[in-house]
Amino acid sequence: MSTRLMSLEIKYEQDVVHTRQRARQIAALLGFDGQDQTRIATAVSEIARNAYQYAGGGRAEFRVALTAPGALEIRIEDDGPGIVRLQEILDGRYQSSTGMGMGLIGARRLMDRCEIQTAPRAGVKVAMEKRLPANAPAVTAQTLREISEDLGRLSPATPFDEVRRQNQELLLAMEQLRDREAQLLRLNAELDDTDKGIMQLNAELEDKAESLQTASELKSAFLSNVTHEFRTPVGSILGLSQFLLDRLDGDLTPEQEQQVLFIRKSAQTLMEMVNDLLDLAKIESGKTEVTPTIFTVADLFAALRGMFRPLVAPGGVALIFEDQPECPNLHSDEGKISQILRNLISNALKFTERGEVRVRCDIDPQGSLAFTVTDTGVGIAPEDQDRVFEEFSQIEGSLQRKVKGTGLGLPLSRKLARLLGGDVTLQSQPGVGSTFTATIPRTYSERG
């Protein structure tokens, strides 16, 4: 037997943050400690984000089981396409370049019980449970009424407050890691100074190995939290800033609009850096999955044209996609080729103040497809042309100071092209412009 505390609709990006906040508030009112509050909030956030991202929305319901020993029950449902390879995801055998499935695995580890029901085109139903703490006050009908009243008085924090709270949690995790490392250092000193016999030394070495294992697990947990926790708040900032810029909550003064634009630009830069770093790390560790499909250059260019249309101001720099009907179909990873061209086009637009950026496709002498992105921008000096493919490298210049980047787009593009069996090259002349060429084999061949 359980009693419902609250139901929430998940329709917009900020609803994911709102659901996380409510999960934390409910956990606190039920007597969970700070660590369990974070675990519950993180699990709810991951499943709610899955519902929003893959199904376009869903519903979350919080209930309390009154039968001993009592538990917090959370149900999150959506009406999306369902999860086709659920068992492979839960077994850890399915790897996705987008990180799909990590939220489900993480939620199962953070909660005492996590059951998932899904079927094609029938949505996903996730039921999670966390047992109430042994020292928590007994839950009665009266306490549930009081909790409901408290929830009504507690106004949801803004996404920015949630980012601040998560940052504090991450800093606390770092402090715990530092304390653990300091303990290990002291243990090393004690082991170096002591000479109490082989048996005692073995015992201390076993303790040290256990502590090292714990520190490694803490570090892994910290990095995992950084990956997921940064994406959620930064995505919320992007969604909320767009919400404000679309005037959905009322008009903005010119100064307010400028400040919101600054916030959105900073959040976009941070999101790009997080995503690029994750992509680079996956490639270097050999964990990037290539998914070849058959597609046409025309379809690829059409998708890119639509993606960049809102970013090109009328009367400004012209973005031209040349029709190349003679280019044959490709059997390669369309998503990764699109990512390569997005980076090259974005880079060209950033450093071109007037003129045009032209995108075309040709067949090179070896039979591969050569995608060229040519701009009429500032150009790159010969001595700097190798540096642009180094991670975090920035070329000094008047326009560079105006347009800040992460220094990861070009290195990532070259690594992705080489992963597909091709490469990215550069020809440039200062003051004239640059041409980046991504050469991609027509058919992807997996290397042994």
Side-chain angles (χ1 to χ4, degrees), residues 161-403:
D161 293 332
E162 185 66 15
V163 171
R164 188 180 299 111
R165 179 191 291 272
Q166 292 174 1
N167 285 340
Q168 292 171 349
E169 293 172 356
L170 292 173
L171 288 173
L172 178 60
M174 290 179 66
E175 289 297 330
Q176 292 174 344
L177 185 58
R178 290 195 191 99
D179 291 343
R180 181 69 66 175
E181 289 173 344
Q183 293 174 6
L184 292 174
L185 289 173
R186 288 195 294 271
L187 179 58
N188 282 332
E190 292 172 1
L191 289 173
D192 291 338
D193 294 338
T194 189
D195 188 14
K196 297 181 179 179
I198 298 299
M199 294 298 296
Q200 184 174 352
L201 180 60
N202 285 339
E204 290 177 352
L205 288 172
E206 290 175 359
D207 291 341
K208 178 184 176 183
E210 183 178 353
S211 298
L212 285 169
Q213 178 64 28
T214 303
S216 177
E217 292 173 355
L218 282 173
K219 181 179 179 181
S220 298
F222 170 72
L223 292 175
S224 177
N225 285 336
V226 167
T227 300
H228 292 286
E229 296 299 329
F230 267 126
R231 279 182 166 179
T232 297
V234 174
S236 300
I237 293 173
L238 288 170
L240 181 58
S241 61
Q242 189 61 53
F243 178 86
L244 295 173
L245 291 171
D246 290 341
R247 308 300 199 275
L248 298 179
D249 198 31
D251 205 4
L252 299 175
T253 66
E255 178 63 23
Q256 288 172 331
E257 182 177 11
Q258 188 65 30
Q259 296 300 326
V260 174
L261 285 171
F262 287 152
I263 292 171
R264 180 169 179 80
K265 183 62 177 176
S266 298
Q268 286 174 331
T269 300
L270 181 56
M271 181 66 84
E272 290 172 3
M273 181 176 291
V274 170
N275 290 335
D276 286 348
L277 281 171
L278 289 173
D279 287 338
L280 284 168
K282 286 180 181 178
I283 293 173
E284 291 173 355
S285 63
K287 295 182 179 179
T288 301
E289 181 179 348
V290 176
T291 307
T293 58
I294 297 175
F295 62 97
T296 67
V297 174
D299 289 342
L300 176 64
F301 279 10
L304 290 169
R305 188 183 293 112
M307 185 181 305
F308 280 96
R309 183 177 294 115
L311 305 179
V312 181
V317 177
L319 176 58
I320 302 169
F321 288 85
E322 294 188 6
D323 293 329
Q324 301 293 327
E326 67 274 13
C327 281
N329 294 351
L330 288 90
H331 182 250
S332 189
D333 193 316
E334 182 177 8
K336 289 178 174 56
I337 296 176
S338 175
Q339 186 176 1
I340 293 168
L341 294 179
R342 288 200 307 270
N343 285 339
L344 298 182
I345 296 170
S346 297
N347 200 64
L349 290 172
K350 285 180 184 178
F351 297 102
T352 303
E353 293 185 295
R354 62 184 62 87
E356 67 178 30
V357 174
R358 185 174 293 269
V359 187
R360 62 176 287 125
C361 175
D362 296 289
I363 303 175
D364 76 354
Q366 285 72 41
S368 297
L369 294 191
F371 295 92
T372 57
V373 178
T374 303
D375 64 62
T376 57
V378 295
I380 302 170
E383 62 271 19
D384 293 326
Q385 292 183 13
D386 288 335
R387 289 181 53 204
V388 298
F389 291 105
E390 298 175 3
E391 295 168 16
F392 299 106
S393 178
Q394 300 285 324
I395 306 302
E396 290 299 325
S398 58
L399 191 56
Q400 177 68 55
R401 288 189 287 270
K402 297 179 185 178
V403 184

Side-chain angles (χ1 to χ4, degrees), residues 43 46-47 50 99-108 228:
E46 290 297 321
I47 303 303
N50 282 351
M100 183 179 70
M102 296 301 296
L104 295 175
I105 296 174
R108 294 182 80 197
H228 292 286

Side-chain angles (χ1 to χ4, degrees), residues 95-110:
Q95 295 181 350
S96 167
S97 59
T98 64
M100 183 179 70
M102 296 301 296
L104 295 175
I105 296 174
R108 294 182 80 197
R109 292 174 178 170
L110 293 170

Side-chain angles (χ1 to χ4, degrees), residues 59-179:
R59 302 161 297 283
E61 183 179 72
F62 297 88
R63 307 181 68 91
V64 175
L66 299 179
T67 55
L72 170 61
E73 299 176 349
I74 302 119
R75 301 172 186 172
I76 300 178
E77 303 179 358
D78 66 62
D79 300 320
I83 305 174
V84 177
R85 307 171 73 173
L86 176 61
Q87 195 57 50
E88 290 183 40
I89 292 173
L90 297 180
D91 292 341
R93 293 183 285 115
Y94 179 73
Q95 295 181 350
S96 167
S97 59
T98 64
M100 183 179 70
M102 296 301 296
L104 295 175
I105 296 174
R108 294 182 80 197
R109 292 174 178 170
L110 293 170
M111 303 295 282
D112 294 328
R113 181 177 69 86
C114 181
E115 296 180 355
I116 305 165
Q117 296 180 357
T118 186
R121 298 181 298 279
V124 179
K125 296 179 176 61
V126 180
M128 298 181 287
E129 180 180 291
K130 193 75 170 178
R131 289 186 294 274
L132 297 178
N135 57 351
V139 178
T140 63
Q142 176 61 29
T143 57
L144 290 178
R145 283 193 294 271
E146 294 173 354
I147 290 174
S148 297
E149 293 172 359
D150 289 339
L151 288 173
R153 289 191 294 268
L154 290 172
S155 59
T158 66
F160 304 102
D161 293 332
E162 185 66 15
V163 171
R164 188 180 299 111
R165 179 191 291 272
Q166 292 174 1
N167 285 340
Q168 292 171 349
E169 293 172 356
L170 292 173
L171 288 173
L172 178 60
M174 290 179 66
E175 289 297 330
Q176 292 174 344
L177 185 58
R178 290 195 191 99
D179 291 343

